C-alpha cells in the first residue's frame, strides 16, 4: 500500500463548520452574501455542490455552491496552510468534472463554466494577516530569477506590439533580407541562412509570448482571518460565523484548566444559555461535542506525526546513514497513519490523542491491529 493510499480516508467525519452550514440554505446564503457583497434572499437560487468524499486525510471540501453563474468554494482552517491553492485546484477540477459532460469537451462549441471563487476562513491560534491572497504560482519550484522564461519578465515587450518590437531591434519584427546587388540568385547557403533567421524569429516570438503570459496556470485564494479583532465589518454581516467564533474562543479559554471534553461541553452549554447559536447547539449538541473533540485530537495527532518524523530524521539521519533514517521515519509515520485510520473508522477517536503520548499503548495497538 502506498503512502498516498494510506492517507486517503473517505470516512473522515464532518467538522463543526460543516455541520453548521451543510443543511441550512439560509446560513449558506448569509455566508455567500457576506463574502460576495451581494444581498440575495431567495435560497432557492443556491445549488449546493459540496464534494462528498475526502481527498486526503483531514482534507475535505467544506462547502461549495453555485449562485447564478458563480461557483464558490469555502474552507475552514485552524492551521496555517500555504498549500490551499493546490488543494482548491484538486477541488475545482472535481467540481467541473461533475458539472460538465465529458463528451462536450471534444465539440466545437465552447463549454460555459461557472466562474470560481475560493475563500478560506482562518481561525487558528497562530498570528496571521487579516486578509491575504495565496497564489498557486507561489508554490512553483522555479522563481523569476531561476526560470529562463521569466528572467526578463519586467522588461518584456507585449507580443501584440510589432512596431515597438521593430524599434527595439527584435528579430521577430525584422525579416532577414538579401542584397539584390550582391546576390542575383541566392545560393544554397543563403537559403539556409534565410531559413535559420526565420526559424529564430519564430522561436523568439514564441518565447516572448510565454514570458508575457507566464504563469499559464494560476489560482488565487482569499484567506480571511475570523479571529476576534479581525474583519469585524465582514463578521457583522455574517452573524452565524461570528457566533461560531464565540463558541471556539470559549473552548480555547477553558482548555488550559480543563480536560478537552469538559471544556467543549461547558462552552456548548454556555452558548445555549446565552443564545449563541442556541437552536443549532440544541439540535446538534452530541454531534458538535464529538466533532469538537475529534478536531482537537486530530490537530494534536498531526502535530505529533510531524514532530515524530523530524525526531526520527534527526536520530537516524546522520551524514553516512541519512537516506536510511528517512526511510525508517517514513515507515513509522505510515504505520502510525494506518493506526489512526483504524481507530477513527471504528469510532475510537478518544484513543487517538492518547497514543500520541503513550508509547506503550501505541505499541500494544500496533500488535493488536497487526501493523
Amino acid at each position: 500500500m502506498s503512502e498516498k493510499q494510506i492517507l486517503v480516508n473517505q470516512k473522515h467525519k464532518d467538522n463543526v463548520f460543516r455541520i453548521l452550514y451543510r443543511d441550512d440554505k439560509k446560513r449558506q446564503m448569509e455566508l455567500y452574501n457576506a463574502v460576495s457583497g451581494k444581498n440575495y434572499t431567495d435560497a432557492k437560487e443556491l445549488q449546493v455542490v459540496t464534494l462528498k468524499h475526502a481527498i486526503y486525510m483531514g482534507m475535505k471540501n467544506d462547502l461549495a455552491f453555485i449562485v447564478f453563474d458563480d461557483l464558490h468554494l469555502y474552507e475552514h482552517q485552524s492551521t496555517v496552510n500555504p498549500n490551499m491553492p493546490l488543494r482548491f485546484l484538486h477541488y475545482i477540477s472535481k467540481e467541473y468534472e461533475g458539472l460538465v459532460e465529458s463528451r462536450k469537451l471534444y465539440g466545437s462549441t465552447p463549454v460555459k463554466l461557472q466562474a470560481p471563487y475560493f475563500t478560506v476562513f482562518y481561525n487558528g491560534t497562530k498570528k496571521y494577516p487579516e486578509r491575504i491572497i495565496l497564489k498557486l504560482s507561489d508554490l512553483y519550484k522555479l522563481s523569476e530569477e531561476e526560470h529562463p522564461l521569466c528572467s526578463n519578465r519586467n522588461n518584456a515587450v507585449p507580443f501584440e506590439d510589432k512596431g515597438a518590437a521593430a524599434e527595439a531591434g527584435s528579430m521577430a519584427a525584422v525579416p532577414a533580407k538579401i542584397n539584390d546587388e550582391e546576390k542575383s540568385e541566392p545560393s544554397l547557403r543563403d537559403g539556409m541562412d534565410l531559413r535559420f533567421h526565420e526559424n529564430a524569429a519564430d522561436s523568439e516570438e514564441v518565447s516572448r509570448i510565454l514570458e508575457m503570459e507566464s504563469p499559464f496556470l494560476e489560482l488565487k485564494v482569499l484567506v480571511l482571518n475570523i479571529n476576534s479583532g479581525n474583519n469585524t465589518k465582514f463578521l457583522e454581516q455574517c452573524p452565524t460565523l461570528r457566533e461560531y467564533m464565540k463558541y471556539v474562543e470559549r473552548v480555547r479559554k477553558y482548555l488550559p484548566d480543563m480536560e478537552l471534553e469538559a471544556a467543549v461541553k461547558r462552552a456548548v452549554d454556555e452558548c445555549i444559555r446565552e443564545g449563541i447559536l442556541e437552536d443549532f447547539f440544541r439540535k446538534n449538541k452530541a454531534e458538535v461535542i464529538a466533532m469538537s473533540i475529534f478536531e482537537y485530537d486530530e490537530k494534536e495527532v498531526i502535530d505529533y506525526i510531524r514532530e515524530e518524523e523530524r525526531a526520527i530524521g534527526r536520530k537516524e539521519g546522520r551524514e553516512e546513514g541519512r537516506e536510511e533514517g528517512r526511510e525508517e521515519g517514513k515507515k513509522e509515520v505510515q504505520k502510525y497513519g494506518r493506526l489512526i485510520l483504524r481507530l477513527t473508522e471504528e469510532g475510537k477517536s478518544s484513543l487517538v490523542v492518547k497514543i500520541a503520548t503513550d508509547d506503550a499503548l501505541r505499541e500494544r495497538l500496533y500488535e493488536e491491529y497487526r501493523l
Side-chain angles (χ1 to χ4, degrees):
M1 185 179 292
S2 69
E3 183 177 358
K4 186 172 183 180
Q5 288 173 319
I6 290 168
L7 295 180
V8 172
N9 178 13
Q10 293 190 348
K11 295 183 180 179
H12 181 68
K13 296 180 176 66
D14 278 346
N15 58 33
V16 177
F17 179 87
R18 267 185 236 121
I19 299 171
L20 183 61
Y21 284 101
R22 67 186 177 190
D23 298 320
D24 194 309
K25 287 284 189 76
K26 184 178 179 181
R27 291 193 190 115
Q28 292 166 2
M29 184 62 82
E30 175 192 271
L31 186 61
Y32 167 79
N33 283 336
V35 172
S36 66
K38 302 292 195 302
N39 191 30
Y40 295 132
T41 56
D42 188 359
K44 294 179 182 178
E45 299 293 345
L46 186 148
Q47 175 190 354
V48 177
V49 290
T50 305
L51 296 176
K52 295 181 180 179
H53 299 295
I55 293 178
Y56 305 110
M57 173 184 165
M59 299 183 187
K60 182 178 180 181
N61 174 212
D62 284 341
L63 187 61
F65 42 75
I66 296 172
V67 182
F68 297 106
D69 291 327
D70 292 348
L71 172 56
H72 282 256
L73 283 81
Y74 296 153
E75 288 289 307
H76 162 262
Q77 288 287 303
S78 59
T79 56
V80 174
N81 189 339
N83 299 312
M84 288 309 300
L86 183 56
R87 280 178 53 180
F88 274 118
L89 181 62
H90 283 282
Y91 297 152
I92 194 62
S93 176
K94 289 293 182 183
E95 291 287 3
Y96 283 147
E97 191 176 308
L99 294 170
V100 179
E101 295 180 45
S102 58
R103 63 182 180 85
K104 291 185 177 181
L105 299 179
Y106 302 95
S108 57
T109 303
V111 173
K112 297 298 183 181
L113 301 173
Q114 291 84 3
Y117 298 88
F118 309 98
T119 308
V120 169
F121 305 102
Y122 171 77
N123 73 335
T125 55
K126 290 187 177 180
K127 187 176 181 180
Y128 204 67
E130 187 170 23
R131 292 178 292 274
I132 190 172
I133 296 288
L134 301 181
K135 297 180 181 180
L136 183 64
S137 59
D138 293 336
L139 303 178
Y140 292 158
K141 289 184 178 181
L142 297 180
S143 67
E144 279 197 5
E145 291 75 21
E146 295 171 318
H147 202 302
L149 292 178
C150 300
S151 59
N152 196 34
R153 180 181 298 173
N154 294 333
N155 298 319
V157 179
F159 62 86
E160 297 87 356
D161 191 353
K162 297 295 193 298
E167 290 180 3
S170 168
M171 184 78 73
V174 182
K177 296 181 180 179
I178 299 175
N179 190 328
D180 292 335
E181 294 181 358
E182 295 180 2
K183 301 285 186 180
S184 58
E185 293 184 6
S187 65
L188 177 61
R189 177 58 183 270
D190 291 328
M192 292 175 64
D193 288 342
L194 179 60
R195 287 194 299 273
F196 172 80
H197 288 299
E198 289 175 343
N199 290 338
D202 288 344
S203 177
E204 185 166 329
E205 180 71 1
V206 169
S207 67
R208 292 197 310 118
I209 292 173
L210 293 180
E211 285 181 15
M212 292 304 302
E213 295 299 318
S214 181
F216 270 58
L217 180 62
E218 184 63 282
L219 189 151
K220 299 177 183 180
V221 177
L222 171 63
V223 184
L224 298 176
N225 190 334
I226 57 173
N227 282 294
S228 179
N230 294 276
N231 291 297
T232 52
K233 290 185 178 179
F234 165 76
L235 289 172
E236 285 174 5
Q237 299 171 355
C238 196
T240 300
L241 199 58
R242 185 178 70 245
E243 293 189 6
Y244 165 71
M245 280 308 302
K246 289 182 179 179
Y247 161 71
V248 171
E249 288 165 359
R250 294 198 181 207
V251 175
R252 289 176 181 164
K253 176 182 177 181
Y254 301 137
L255 267 179
D257 303 314
M258 304 176 68
E259 292 291 329
L260 174 59
E261 186 173 357
V264 170
K265 287 181 178 179
R266 178 176 176 179
V268 169
D269 289 339
E270 286 185 357
C271 287
I272 291 174
R273 286 199 304 269
E274 298 174 25
I276 299 171
L277 294 177
E278 180 181 357
D279 293 340
F280 168 73
F281 282 128
R282 287 188 184 280
K283 181 180 178 181
N284 303 280
K285 182 175 180 178
E287 189 176 11
V288 167
I289 290 173
M291 287 306 97
S292 294
I293 294 171
F294 181 80
E295 284 183 70
Y296 278 91
D297 284 355
E298 182 185 41
K299 181 180 182 301
E300 187 167 339
V301 165
I302 290 172
D303 290 343
Y304 174 83
I305 290 175
R306 290 171 179 163
E307 180 55 37
E308 187 80 356
E309 189 175 21
R310 287 193 291 268
I312 292 172
R314 288 193 297 268
K315 181 179 179 181
E316 303 293 338
R318 300 292 186 264
E319 193 63 39
E320 64 279 3
R322 192 173 300 276
E323 188 62 34
E324 181 181 349
R326 277 197 291 264
E327 284 302 315
E328 288 299 317
K330 189 175 183 180
K331 289 178 182 178
E332 177 66 22
V333 171
Q334 288 176 352
K335 185 167 67 170
Y336 193 77
R338 288 196 292 270
L339 179 58
I340 291 171
L341 291 184
R342 293 293 296 274
L343 292 175
T344 54
E345 287 172 0
E346 294 180 9
K348 299 177 181 178
S349 59
S350 60
L351 289 177
V352 172
V353 71
K354 292 180 181 179
I355 65 173
T357 55
D358 191 331
D359 294 343
L361 174 62
R362 185 169 66 254
E363 292 300 326
R364 180 170 63 80
L365 291 174
Y366 281 156
E367 293 183 9
E368 182 179 329
Y369 286 102
R370 297 181 180 179
L371 300 175

